[in-house]
């Protein structure tokens, strides 16, 4: 329960004709993680006589078809109309149920032929539409450019067809920051006096005033003049492909852009119609192709001879017998299987994949543990402790029953909604519900319900307490008791970590680390208990033993670790700090709302309600985030730091993840 699942390694050799059915069935069963032997076969003499297995010949075809199918689905998705916020929320609360379609487990070549036929038919309809959309994009760019140029130069009442280069002259058109106009004129005049400069009306953009310019010069001066203009931040506007006056071009461009917009809408509508007819079929086909791709590509992990294939796989020890039975049945007994426990070298080098095994109530919290790191194969898995302590710490920090009710409702909606189709959201929903329930309980016991809302607005006296409050742990009446309780909880939490550390270090034969890292701190705690119970002499004896253990494990400098130990204990005072800050901000929201409501008739009530709701919404969001972060910190830093190694890879089974399909039985 407190350890990752025990793993074993299978080495399997079977005849070529049995490899595919074995791979397919194990893929559906999802109990093995197949090891990549390709490097070892080439480098290790142990595998002499074996070659790296070649991919299934149809693998590249399957991969290509899978890519095409994905591209088509992306095209269909891009044409879908964007969802409203209401629809998005509905999707979270009540996601659309996916009805899996029964499919036959057909040979790869047959699947490829089927896929090719379906994809070709859909592509024949989509390709012309996509091509036209690309053409529309090119046209839109052209007309937008024309519109921009004509707009920038609209102060010139001239047909742009006359602004074309000739055999002897060049036309330079664009806009120049007004502050550089005088410099531009003077420097151009130095190049040549035979230059015509026409100025348009000033325009402003991004706090900069521009002057539209049309400059006509002899060919020989164009390069020098352009150089001067570039240095003065001149923005060139290309009129070479334009004809007609500015207003005519602007009107024509806008008309063409409207036509493009309408045609694009029609194209997207046509794509959506294709999606309505074909999307479900394509989703099923895509999943079939993806799963077949996994199967065909896995052979590159195998070794082979002319007649046999060999592969290695990690299996949870409890699943070994079933796996052996499956292989034996599928190969008609024509297989050789060797079962091994992980070697010390594999364990020490974190080569053993780790599968956590926790009871149902703790399973969602594996998500939080792996956020830090996957447990080492030898580690004690702290998930159960985290499942108990994390939501409790969170509730201790937040301590407002109404806030807890909101969080629990949100968590329940996630669990019952999108959690049905997404495991991560399901786990998060469970965690959120438990966080909310602890917040409700501790809020009622310590006096938090929308701050002091009930005493202030219902009971008529903000100094009164909720009927559910235990007087000695009323957060604002006796914060010192909340602090003492937080320190006691912290000591219990840390001592669990010390016990885990002692067990792990003993098994790893890290005796010095055991003495200095955990046992010495337990002895220091016992010395304090001895003092309280029996006086100074027992205290001195136990404390000296603790110091000797510390010196043995860490040397003279290890004594400095005492301050670190005290710091770890005091870290749990943050439970009090966040508890008081949540309640304090909540009370402030209530007081401000009350003052505003009473200050100005009618309007004050509206302002009071707005401030009341705004501050409370901010408080629940900000304090919930803080409570979660600090609860995680108490685990990741103070708790894990005393025993947890991590740094392993999770067990990733070779498994067919099906959403849109199910194998026909």
């Amino acid at each position: 329960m407190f350890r990752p699942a025990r793993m074993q390694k299978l080495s399997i050799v079977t005849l070529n004709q049995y490899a595919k059915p074995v791979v397919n069935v194990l893929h559906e069963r999802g109990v093995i993680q197949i090891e990549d032997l390709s490097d070892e076969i080439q480098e290790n003499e142990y595998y002499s006589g074996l070659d790296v297995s070649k991919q299934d010949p149809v693998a590249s075809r399957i991969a290509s078809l899978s890519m095409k199918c994905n591209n088509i689905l992306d095209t269909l998705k891009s044409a879908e109309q964007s969802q409203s916020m209401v629809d998005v929320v509905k999707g979270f609360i009540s996601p659309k149920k996916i009805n899996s379609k029964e499919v036959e487990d057909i040979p790869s070549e047959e699947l490829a032929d089927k896929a090719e036929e379906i994809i070709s038919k859909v592509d024949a309809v989509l390709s012309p539409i996509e091509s036209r959309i690309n053409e529309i994009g090119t046209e839109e760019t052209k007309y937008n450019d024309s519109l921009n140029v004509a707009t920038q130069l609209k102060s010139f009442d001239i047909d742009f067809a006359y602004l074309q280069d000739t055999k002897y002259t060049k036309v330079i058109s664009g806009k120049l920051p007004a502050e550089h106009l005088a410099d531009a004129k003077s420097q151009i005049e130095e190049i040549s006096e035979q230059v015509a400069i026409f100025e348009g009306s000033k325009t402003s953009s991004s706090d900069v005033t521009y002057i539209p310019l049309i400059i006509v010069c002899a060919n020989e001066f164009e390069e020098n003049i352009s150089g001067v203009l570039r240095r003065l931040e001149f923005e060139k506007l290309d009129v070479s492909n334009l004809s007609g006056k500015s207003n005519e071009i602007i009107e024509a461009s806008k008309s063409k852009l409207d036509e493009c917009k309408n045609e694009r809408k029609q194209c997207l509508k046509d794509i959506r119609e294709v999606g309505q007819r074909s999307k479900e079929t394509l989703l099923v086909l895509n999943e079939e192709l993806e799963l077949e791709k996994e199967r065909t590509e896995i052979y590159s992990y195998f070794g082979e001879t002319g007649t046999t294939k060999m592969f290695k796989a990690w299996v949870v020890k409890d699943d070994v017998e079933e796996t052996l039975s499956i292989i034996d049945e599928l190969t008609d007994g024509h297989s050789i299987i060797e079962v091994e426990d992980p070697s010390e070298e594999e364990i020490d080098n974190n080569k053993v994949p780790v599968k956590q095994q926790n009871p149902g109530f703790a399973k969602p919290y594996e998500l939080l543990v792996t956020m830090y790191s996957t447990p080492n194969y030898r580690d004690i898995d702290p998930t159960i402790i985290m499942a108990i302590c994390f939501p409790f710490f969170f509730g201790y920090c937040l301590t407002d029953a109404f806030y807890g009710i909101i969080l629990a409702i949100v968590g329940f909606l996630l669990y019952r909604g999108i959690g049905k189709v997404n495991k991560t959201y399901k786990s998060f929903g469970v965690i959120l519900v438990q966080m909310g329930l602890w917040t409700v309980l501790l809020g009622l016991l310590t006096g938090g319900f929308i701050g002091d809302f009930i005493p202030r607005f219902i009971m008529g006296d903000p100094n009164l307490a909720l009927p559910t409050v235990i007087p000695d742990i009323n957060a604002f009446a006796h914060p010192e008791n909340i602090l003492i309780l937080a320190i006691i909880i912290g000591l219990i939490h840390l001592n669990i970590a010390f016990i885990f550390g002692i067990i792990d270090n003993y098994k790893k034969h890290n005796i010095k680390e055991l003495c200095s890292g955990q046992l010495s701190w337990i002895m220091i705690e016992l010395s304090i208990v001895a003092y309280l119970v029996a006086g100074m002499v027992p205290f001195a004896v136990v404390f000296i033993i603790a110091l000797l253990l510390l010196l043995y494990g860490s040397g003279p400098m290890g004594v400095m670790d005492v301050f670190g130990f005290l710091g770890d204990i005091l870290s749990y005072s943050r439970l009090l700090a966040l508890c008081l800050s949540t309640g304090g901000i909540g009370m402030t929201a209530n007081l401000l709302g009350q003052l505003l409501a009473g200050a100005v008739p009618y309007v004050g009530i509206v302002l009071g309600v707005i401030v009341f709701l705004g501050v409370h919404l901010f408080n629940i969001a900000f304090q919930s985030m803080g409570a979660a972060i600090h609860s995680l910190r108490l685990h990741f830093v103070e708790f894990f730091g005393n025993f947890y190694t991590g740094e392993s890879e999770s067990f990733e089974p070779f498994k067919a993840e099906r959403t849109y399909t199910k194998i026909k039985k």
Side-chain angles (χ1 to χ4, degrees):
M1 187 165 61
F2 283 99
R3 295 280 184 184
R6 299 298 87 186
M7 307 296 295
Q8 289 187 314
K9 182 183 280 189
L10 306 184
S11 299
I12 303 146
V13 179
T14 189
L15 296 174
N16 286 337
Q17 64 260 39
Y18 298 117
K20 192 171 184 65
V22 168
V23 166
N24 289 0
V25 173
L26 291 178
H27 191 224
E28 293 294 334
R29 183 70 180 84
V31 293
I32 67 170
Q33 176 179 312
I34 297 177
E35 292 280 275
D36 187 353
L37 295 178
S38 56
D39 289 338
E40 287 190 59
I41 290 172
Q42 297 176 60
E43 298 170 4
N44 195 331
E45 291 184 2
Y46 176 81
Y47 296 101
S48 61
L50 277 180
D51 296 317
V52 177
S53 182
K54 301 176 184 64
Q55 278 193 347
D56 192 310
V58 78
S60 59
R61 189 180 172 203
I62 292 289
S64 175
L65 289 166
S66 176
M67 186 180 296
K68 288 180 181 178
C69 193
N70 267 310
N71 290 339
I72 291 174
L73 286 169
D74 287 341
T75 299
L76 297 180
K77 187 176 180 180
S78 67
E80 292 175 356
Q81 294 176 321
S82 56
Q83 290 184 313
S84 66
M85 184 58 69
V86 174
D87 291 332
V88 173
V89 172
K90 283 183 178 178
F92 270 86
I93 296 174
S94 183
K96 185 179 178 182
K97 186 179 178 182
I98 299 172
N99 295 315
S100 300
K101 183 180 177 181
E102 283 192 340
V103 295
E104 294 182 0
D105 189 8
I106 58 179
S108 303
E109 287 284 357
E110 191 175 332
L111 174 62
D113 292 339
K114 181 182 91 171
E116 207 158 54
E117 183 181 353
I118 294 171
I119 291 170
S120 296
K121 286 180 180 178
V122 178
D123 194 51
V125 179
L126 276 182
S127 287
I129 304 173
E130 288 184 277
S131 296
R132 183 54 193 149
I133 288 176
N134 291 332
E135 291 170 1
I136 291 170
T138 303
E139 291 173 14
E140 286 176 328
T141 301
K142 172 187 170 184
Y143 295 126
N144 275 315
D145 289 343
S146 300
L147 180 62
N148 177 57
V149 172
T151 303
Q152 299 285 352
L153 302 177
K154 68 180 179 180
S155 57
F156 296 104
D157 187 22
I158 187 173
D159 189 329
F160 285 177
Y162 297 136
L163 299 179
Q164 309 302 316
D165 296 337
T166 69
K167 185 176 180 181
Y168 301 105
T169 63
K170 291 286 185 181
V171 178
I172 304 171
S173 55
K175 61 182 185 178
L176 181 77
E179 61 183 328
H180 298 319
L181 180 61
D183 287 342
K185 284 182 173 181
S186 64
Q187 292 184 45
I188 290 172
E189 286 174 0
E190 289 178 7
I191 296 170
S192 174
E193 294 182 356
Q194 299 178 358
V195 178
I197 301 176
F198 304 93
E199 299 176 28
S201 302
K202 292 181 179 180
T203 60
S204 295
S205 176
S206 303
D207 299 326
V208 179
T209 301
Y210 291 96
I211 299 287
L213 297 177
I214 294 176
I215 302 169
V216 183
C217 65
N219 288 343
E220 60 199 87
F221 303 124
E222 190 266 341
E223 187 175 342
N224 290 337
I225 292 172
S226 293
V228 168
L229 293 171
R230 278 196 301 272
R231 290 193 293 274
L232 296 174
E233 301 176 35
F234 180 80
E235 183 181 333
K236 192 172 182 180
L237 299 171
D238 186 11
V239 298
S240 60
N241 297 317
L242 300 180
S243 63
K245 294 185 177 182
S246 296
N247 290 337
E248 295 171 350
I249 294 171
I250 291 171
E251 187 178 343
S253 296
K254 286 182 176 179
S255 176
K256 288 293 185 181
L257 285 169
D258 286 339
E259 289 177 15
C260 288
K261 183 179 179 181
N262 292 331
E263 192 172 358
R264 181 184 288 277
K265 283 182 179 178
Q266 183 58 50
C267 287
L268 293 175
K269 183 181 177 182
D270 293 341
I271 291 174
R272 286 195 291 273
E273 289 176 357
V274 175
Q276 290 172 358
R277 296 193 304 268
S278 308
K279 188 176 179 180
E280 187 177 335
T281 301
L282 288 169
L283 287 170
V284 170
L285 178 65
N286 187 58
E287 187 165 276
E288 288 185 276
L289 289 169
E290 288 288 342
L291 295 178
E292 193 63 30
K293 180 170 172 281
E294 291 176 9
R295 293 174 179 178
T296 55
E297 290 180 350
I298 199 66
Y299 292 106
S300 62
Y301 286 19
F302 291 16
E304 68 176 10
T305 65
T307 56
T308 64
K309 283 197 171 40
M310 175 195 178
F311 65 98
K312 290 190 175 186
W314 289 104
V315 187
V316 176
K317 192 173 183 178
D318 292 345
D319 294 328
V320 168
E321 288 300 322
E322 182 184 357
T323 305
L324 295 179
S325 176
I326 290 171
I327 296 171
D328 188 64
E329 182 180 344
L330 291 170
T331 62
D332 293 327
H334 295 91
S335 60
I336 300 171
I337 306 173
E338 185 180 70
V339 182
E340 302 173 276
D341 289 323
S343 67
E344 289 296 316
E345 183 182 358
E346 288 173 325
I347 296 172
D348 292 339
N349 294 324
N350 289 332
K351 298 294 185 182
V352 184
V354 171
K355 182 178 181 180
Q356 295 171 267
Q357 50 178 8
N358 291 287
F361 82 93
K363 202 75 180 170
Y365 291 86
E366 292 177 0
L367 180 70
L368 300 183
V369 173
T370 53
M371 278 175 57
Y372 181 85
S373 180
T374 302
N376 185 274
Y377 188 69
R378 283 199 178 104
D379 274 341
I380 290 177
D381 185 349
T383 302
I384 292 176
I385 302 300
M386 197 161 198
I388 297 169
C389 295
F390 175 80
F392 173 74
F393 288 170
F394 179 93
Y396 204 118
C397 290
L398 199 58
T399 52
D400 189 290
F402 185 77
Y403 295 177
I405 291 170
I406 293 174
L407 291 174
I409 291 172
V410 172
F412 180 76
L413 292 175
L414 284 177
Y415 175 78
R416 295 288 296 175
I418 196 169
K420 290 179 179 179
V421 295
N422 187 297
K423 291 181 181 178
T424 300
Y425 279 110
K426 184 177 181 179
S427 296
F428 187 62
V430 172
I431 294 171
L432 207 54
V433 168
Q434 293 178 1
M435 289 158 61
L437 292 176
W438 272 113
T439 303
V440 171
L441 176 62
L442 294 174
L444 293 174
L445 295 178
T446 59
F449 192 95
I450 323 179
D452 59 351
F453 182 88
I454 292 178
R456 182 178 294 276
F457 296 112
I458 297 178
M459 300 170 70
D461 185 355
N463 295 313
L464 296 175
L466 294 173
T468 56
V469 171
I470 298 175
D472 287 341
I473 56 171
N474 187 325
F476 281 87
H478 297 288
E480 71 282 0
N481 291 342
I482 301 291
L483 176 61
I484 293 168
L485 187 59
I487 297 300
I488 292 171
I489 291 167
L491 284 169
I492 295 170
H493 198 228
L494 284 174
N495 277 282
I496 293 171
F498 293 156
I499 292 169
F500 285 174
I502 289 171
I503 295 171
D504 266 358
N505 281 319
Y506 177 77
K507 289 189 173 184
K508 295 174 184 176
H509 306 291
N510 295 333
I511 305 302
K512 285 191 174 183
E513 177 65 25
L514 184 155
C515 292
S516 63
Q518 294 91 27
L519 189 58
S520 59
W521 307 127
I522 292 177
M523 295 300 293
I524 288 172
E525 293 174 64
L526 289 175
S527 70
I528 297 170
V529 174
Y531 174 77
L532 296 173
V533 174
M536 191 66 187
V537 174
F539 162 77
V541 172
V542 179
F543 190 77
I544 289 170
I545 293 172
L547 287 179
L548 290 172
L549 289 170
L550 195 58
L551 289 169
Y552 169 71
S554 301
M557 295 301 296
V559 178
M560 300 298 294
D561 292 342
V562 172
F563 298 103
F565 175 60
L566 293 174
D568 286 348
I569 295 172
L570 292 175
S571 288
Y572 289 83
S573 63
R574 66 185 70 242
L575 296 174
L576 166 70
L578 269 77
C579 167
L580 295 179
S581 69
T582 302
I585 296 172
M587 291 178 184
T588 302
N590 296 339
L591 180 59
L592 286 173
Q594 186 179 34
L595 291 174
L596 287 170
V600 185
Y602 305 114
V603 176
I605 294 174
V606 176
L607 289 174
V609 171
I610 292 172
V611 169
F612 173 85
L613 292 175
V615 176
H616 276 296
L617 285 172
F618 166 81
N619 198 30
I620 187 173
F622 186 77
Q623 295 298 136
S624 294
M625 187 181 298
I629 290 171
H630 287 290
S631 299
L632 283 173
R633 187 193 184 280
L634 290 173
H635 285 87
F636 290 172
V637 179
E638 278 73 26
F639 187 67
F640 285 8
N642 285 289
F643 71 95
Y644 196 71
T645 305
E647 299 180 354
S648 289
E649 297 293 328
S650 295
F651 178 70
E652 299 290 345
F654 177 61
K655 184 177 182 179
E657 298 287 353
R658 295 186 180 274
T659 302
Y660 301 100
T661 64
K662 55 185 177 183
I663 294 292
K664 189 180 290 184
K665 296 181 180 178

